[in-house]
Amino acid sequence: MTGIERVLTGIRPTGPLHIGHYVGALKLWLSAQQANLPCYFLIADIQALTTHADRFELVQGAVRKVTLDLISVGIDPRKDNVHTVLQSKVTSRAAIFDLLTMEAKLKDTENNPTIKAEMAQLKQEKREVTMGFFNYVVSQAADILMVSPVKQRGNHLYVPVGADQVPHLEATNRIVRGFNKTYNTNALTQCEGRVGEVGRLVGTDGDKKMSKSLGNAIMLSDTKEAVNASIRKMYTDPQRVRATDTVESVENNPLFIYMRAFSPDQEVVNQYEEDYKAGKIGDAPLKAILAADINNMLEPMRERRAEAEREPLGDYLREGTEAAEKLAAEVLDRMHDAMHLGYQV
Ligand code: TRP
């Protein structure tokens, strides 16, 4: 007997997506789609409000932008196994969240390094920490578990994510184990993270984080000219004043970080690296090659986006959301039963 395998992952609609999202996360989404597993791709609009409650219009606009970005990279909601889900519209998800809070422990949030870092950031910006933010981890557990199969050999719930999300998956699994034990049930199954090799991509200015708001991002929707301009002014190695200067290492040089992430032929990049270290090649020719590689990658995405602009995105989201709701309602029933709340009145 083969078991039930499902994939769930999500993204916060706080703006259009950039090439860092593509290499860091969306490539993993695409391989899940290609493996023909049932995939639930969540647009986490409620979670977006944990940091963007005062920018709700931006979030609303970003739902469409992110959906277009997803389709442009090859996510295909017309496929039977692919569901694009709008978080706020899955009503059973909120009820699952409510029930999970009875099992989740304060320390799941308090000790969570990602939450700690984000909380410190909020403090620095002199912003209050809302309960919604504090409950982020349990809410994300509800996102994941709303498509949980029962705990049974052969059943799997995969969650492809970046490394920063791993603490949330560990917390989710602590909650699952606790819930199943407290209520003596197999209603929920633990999730399995699928963490990509590529971490966060640096910005074109060398900042640790690529982000549209920092102005150091190459967006998936950028034109060829915009890409060329961003790469032309890209930060490289401040120690290397002339093309003939030699350098020890290119490890922290964004030019090479990008070539490693985006050049189709890594053998050729090895050669560029040797030449660059030996002072035989300058920034400008390498930048031209990198810009061409990125544009080659983006070109089919631009074509796909142009088609998708005319497609019924709302229908895709509604179909995906309904599919998730169906599973979430089943999970909620199992949880109610396990918690002795399954009675009729
Ligand atoms: N927190 C994730 C992020 O910021 C987005 C997300 C929301 C998510 N719900 C999820 C990821 C469920 C994986 C599973 O990128």
Side-chain angles (χ1 to χ4, degrees), residues 118-316:
E118 290 180 11
M119 209 118 97
Q121 178 70 27
L122 284 177
K123 279 231 173 75
Q124 208 185 357
E125 294 169 19
K126 297 216 169 5
R127 295 171 63 187
E128 298 259 17
V129 177
T130 60
M131 291 305 293
F133 182 88
F134 196 73
N135 278 326
Y136 191 119
V137 176
V138 192
S139 177
Q140 187 152 326
D143 292 344
I144 295 168
L145 296 172
M146 72 179 174
V147 301
S148 173
V150 296
K151 179 185 165 200
Q152 186 175 299
R153 184 197 287 274
N155 287 357
H156 295 277
L157 177 52
Y158 304 112
V159 187
V161 282
D164 62 329
Q165 300 295 306
V166 169
H168 305 339
L169 306 190
E170 289 167 353
T172 299
N173 286 345
R174 275 198 301 278
I175 297 168
V176 168
R177 289 191 299 269
F179 185 90
N180 286 350
K181 185 154 179 278
T182 301
Y183 300 104
N184 190 24
T185 178
N186 64 355
L188 302 174
T189 199
Q190 296 192 61
C191 67
E192 296 162 52
R194 288 283 179 270
V195 183
E197 310 141 42
V198 185
R200 211 184 259 283
L201 190 69
V202 293
T204 54
D205 59 355
D207 191 287
K208 278 205 288 298
K209 187 176 160 193
M210 176 176 275
S211 149
K212 184 173 197 281
S213 56
L214 297 175
N216 64 7
I218 295 176
M219 309 309 294
L220 292 172
S221 49
D222 274 355
T223 61
K224 191 173 168 190
E225 292 69 35
V227 171
N228 291 340
S230 294
I231 298 293
R232 220 179 299 118
K233 59 172 202 268
M234 182 174 184
Y235 172 95
T236 59
D237 183 345
Q239 306 298 327
R240 199 171 182 272
V241 185
R242 284 179 214 84
T244 51
D245 290 350
T246 59
V247 286
E248 287 281 301
S249 153
V250 295
E251 206 189 332
N252 297 316
N253 185 333
L255 185 53
F256 278 89
I257 297 174
Y258 281 39
M259 285 199 287
R260 290 294 174 204
F262 300 107
S263 294
D265 189 344
Q266 293 296 315
E267 293 283 321
V268 176
V269 180
N270 292 341
Q271 186 58 50
Y272 293 150
E273 180 173 334
E274 288 317 307
D275 291 350
Y276 193 86
K277 285 191 202 153
K280 291 189 196 157
I281 190 166
D283 283 350
L286 290 181
K287 283 180 167 181
I289 292 162
L290 174 64
D293 283 342
I294 293 179
N295 276 320
N296 282 340
M297 174 185 83
L298 293 181
E299 198 42 43
M301 299 183 191
R302 291 180 185 125
E303 283 167 23
R304 189 71 198 92
R305 173 188 306 274
E307 283 169 35
E309 302 260 13
R310 297 187 298 270
E311 290 174 24
L313 302 186
D315 288 353
Y316 295 156

